[in-house]
Every structure is written in structure tokens, then in C-alpha cells.
Amino acid sequence: MAILNILEFPDPRLRTIAKPVAVVDERIRQLVDDMFETMYAAPGIGLAATQVNVHERVIVIDLSEEHNEPLVFINPELEILTEELDEMQEGCLSVPGFYETVTRPERVRVKALNRDGEAFEMICEGLLAVCIQHECDHLNGKLFVDYLSNLKRDRIRKKLEKLHRAQANA
Ligand SMILES: [Zn+2]
């Protein structure tokens, strides 16, 4: 397994729209394993392949503290099940250090393939509903900062650009 480099906002590669996975083979399973290792090391609770510069529709999530409830979603499709909205503080490994409130539908159904390429579906609520929507956004080139005001997003962008310049010069 390997820890992969995570792209950070405002890297334009985060705006890439990911392609569907054609075959769930050893290459994809390797990617899934590397994504889990990268996510656990960060640490984070969700990661989309887009964030590690692989533009295929693969998501990993684990909401458990013990890192023992891994969820894999390949070619996920979301269906919103309610008009009820939920507000939650979101963060992102690609926007390190920033947490902002985002409003999303509170219940969704996700259809996807698992690590073995088998189709499954799941109804997600609460944190899992937020997380799966956040990660699916990544596959469509969208970030949680896109839900914020231009002013807030620009402030975050400038701070991260400054940080990236400092890291490049270090
Ligand atoms: Zn994210």
C-alpha cells in the first residue's frame, strides 16, 4: 500500500470530472487500498479519487473511530430522498484547516459497486449522508467551498495559496 499525495484547493485538477470505472479489477482494488491508507493517515473520514489525482469514480469512507468500518463506492449514483435539509460543519482534506457550515439534503439513496464489483444500494442519513454527497461532489469537480459566499471562498483560497508558496520555498 502507499500513501498518495492529496491535491489541495485551488489546484485546478480538483475541477476534473471523473470518468466511470469500466472494470473493477486489481488496479482499482489497489487504488481503493491506497486511498484508505491515505485517508486514515491524514486523518479523514472520506476521500474521493479526484483528490489523489485519479479521475475515476471511486470513493472511500470510514466514519468509525477504530478505522474498522470501511465503505467503498465505485461509480456511485445519488438519489435525494427528502426535501428536508441538514446543516453541518464540513471540512475537507483538500481544504486543510477550514471548517464551514454547508446545507444538504438529509437523506439520500446511493447505488454503487463495491470493492468486488458487486452492485449494492444503501440509504444514508446524518453524517454518512453529508459525507457521501461531499465525496460525490469531488467526482464532479465540485468542492464544499463552492457552497460558501465568494468572499469566504476567496479568503480561504488566498490563505491556502500563501501556505502553498511558503511550503514551496521551505
Ligand atoms: Zn473533500
Side-chain angles (χ1 to χ4, degrees):
M1 290 208 284
I3 291 181
L4 308 170
N5 186 42
I6 298 176
L7 302 178
E8 293 186 1
F9 177 68
D11 193 310
R13 291 172 289 182
L14 288 168
R15 299 307 187 179
T16 312
I17 296 174
K19 294 191 173 70
V21 170
V23 195
V24 181
D25 55 10
E26 274 313 306
R27 183 182 66 88
I28 295 296
R29 277 187 277 276
Q30 183 65 54
L31 171 66
V32 164
D33 292 347
D34 289 345
M35 284 172 64
F36 272 116
E37 191 174 17
T38 303
M39 179 184 80
Y40 289 142
I45 57 172
L47 190 69
T50 308
Q51 293 177 274
V52 293
N53 202 28
V54 175
H55 301 289
E56 295 179 77
R57 305 186 83 81
V58 178
I59 289 169
V60 299
I61 291 176
D62 190 338
L63 303 182
S64 72
E65 282 182 23
E66 300 78 15
H67 296 173
N68 58 3
E69 292 169 24
L71 298 170
V72 178
F73 302 89
I74 297 167
N75 298 343
E77 284 176 37
L78 285 186
E79 182 190 345
I80 292 163
L81 296 179
T82 173
E83 288 175 17
E84 299 290 312
L85 299 173
D86 222 358
E87 275 191 352
M88 222 181 265
Q89 279 254 313
E90 293 189 26
C92 179
L93 295 176
S94 295
V95 192
F98 294 90
Y99 298 87
E100 297 287 347
T101 301
V102 177
T103 304
R104 300 183 187 270
E106 70 173 15
R107 201 151 57 92
V108 296
R109 186 199 324 268
V110 56
K111 292 183 183 177
L113 304 177
N114 67 16
R115 196 178 179 281
D116 297 313
E118 297 160 347
F120 70 100
E121 62 176 80
M122 193 182 230
I123 290 177
C124 305
E125 294 177 315
L127 181 57
L128 184 56
V130 171
C131 198
I132 190 77
Q133 290 177 79
H134 175 121
E135 302 309 334
C136 282
D137 276 352
H138 276 302
L139 300 181
N140 295 324
K142 191 166 181 179
L143 295 166
F144 87 93
V145 293
D146 299 346
Y147 295 93
L148 309 178
S149 67
N150 289 340
L151 186 71
K152 261 190 183 170
R153 186 170 54 255
D154 280 349
R155 204 178 286 153
I156 293 173
R157 181 176 53 76
K158 282 182 187 141
K159 282 184 185 164
L160 283 174
E161 282 174 342
K162 195 174 166 191
L163 185 69
H164 294 156
R165 275 197 302 274
Q167 285 167 345
N169 293 331

